[in-house]
Amino acid sequence: ARALPLPTAASVVVALVAAAGAGIAMGGVTGVGTDGTLLGVGAGVCALIGLRVASYDYPSRFVHMTAGVALPLALAAPAVQILGRVLS
C-alpha cells in the first residue's frame, strides 16, 4: 500500500487500513476474532517503522543492509508476538 503514488500521509493511512483489513481477515480464520484488527494495525505500525528505518540512507552499503534491513525485520516479529499475547 505504501508503494501507491499517494502523498505520504495518505499512503500511511491506506497502509494502516490495509493492515487492519488483513488483521480482520486473519482474525476470522484463526479464531482470534476482532482482536485481529488490533494485531493487524500493530503489525502495520511495525512495518511502517521498519520501512522508515530501512530507508535510512547511510554512505556505507554494508551498514544500510545490516542495520537498515535486518534490524527492523529482527525486531518486528517479537513485537507482533508480544502484541498478540497481550490481546489474547
Side-chain angles (χ1 to χ4, degrees), residues 50 53-56 61-75:
V53 172
S55 68
Y56 177 70
R61 187 111 172 112
F62 176 74
V63 171
H64 173 75
M65 291 303 292
T66 55
V69 176
L71 185 61
L73 292 176
L75 295 178

Side-chain angles (χ1 to χ4, degrees), residues 6-82:
L6 297 171
T8 302
S11 66
V12 167
V13 171
V14 169
L16 291 176
V17 168
I24 290 170
M26 292 312 296
V29 170
T30 60
V32 175
T34 57
D35 285 340
T37 305
L38 296 175
L39 186 58
V41 170
V45 168
C46 288
L48 289 172
I49 291 170
L51 182 65
R52 176 69 184 130
V53 172
S55 68
Y56 177 70
D57 190 19
Y58 195 78
S60 170
R61 187 111 172 112
F62 176 74
V63 171
H64 173 75
M65 291 303 292
T66 55
V69 176
L71 185 61
L73 292 176
L75 295 178
V80 171
Q81 182 186 18
I82 291 168

